[in-house]
Amino acid sequence: MIHGKLSDSGRIESLHPSMKVLFDYVKSHDFSTIPLGRIEIDGDNLFINYSEVKRMSREDQMLEFHRRYMDVHIPFAHEIWGWKATSDLRHLTEEYDAEKDFALSDDCPASFTDVYPGEFVVAYPEDAHAPNIAPYDFSKLVAKIKL
């Protein structure tokens, strides 16, 4: 998992060819004028899900992970993220679905981190994550980068 400020994204843009494309797009658009939904940038190789997410509590949010895509979450309000190494998960409540590229675990996160507007979090397949922990609903971008 990588947690950083959008203004410092240049340091990680070399980690994947789509990273710079994504961060350039995010920095050059006013999302208050863009409707919620899927934003196509490079077909299934790079797209953004722009949505209003339902708040979750630490106790209720489960860990998720993906294998074909890395996630880049960019919240427009403060959220808390739970994290645990995917290799340390002991119990899956929803087995990995290759078509959806998604699995769930009700294991407890090993750590939590606060993520604020102007920041991002990158989750690789090795990073089981429990996002959207907040006291209120909020909007965010979740970019999917095909690995």
Side-chain angles (χ1 to χ4, degrees), residues 110-124:
S111 64
F112 290 92
T113 190
D114 291 284
V115 185
Y116 295 95
E119 297 179 349
F120 64 88
V121 178
V122 178
Y124 287 89

Side-chain angles (χ1 to χ4, degrees), residues 3 11 21 31 33 35-36 46 64-66 80 82 86 89 100 102 115-116 118-119 122 124 131 133 138:
H3 177 196
R11 289 192 155 291
V21 175
F31 289 93
T33 65
L36 299 175
L46 172 61
E64 64 183 64
F65 68 89
H66 318 285
I80 298 169
T86 302
L89 296 177
K100 294 179 183 176
F102 186 81
V115 185
Y116 295 95
E119 297 179 349
V122 178
Y124 287 89
I133 300 170
F138 62 99

Side-chain angles (χ1 to χ4, degrees), residues 60-89:
D60 292 333
Q61 181 60 304
M62 289 199 275
L63 291 157
E64 64 183 64
F65 68 89
H66 318 285
R67 292 187 179 148
R68 290 183 298 133
Y69 285 89
M70 84 170 81
D71 279 359
V72 181
H73 290 237
I74 303 168
F76 293 119
H78 173 226
E79 82 174 304
I80 298 169
W81 256 58
W83 174 89
K84 188 172 189 172
T86 302
S87 60
D88 290 342
L89 296 177

Side-chain angles (χ1 to χ4, degrees), residues 92-108:
L92 294 182
T93 56
E94 186 175 320
E95 292 293 325
Y96 178 75
D97 181 326
E99 186 177 318
K100 294 179 183 176
D101 190 37
F102 186 81
L104 284 175
S105 170
D106 61 3
D107 284 20
C108 292

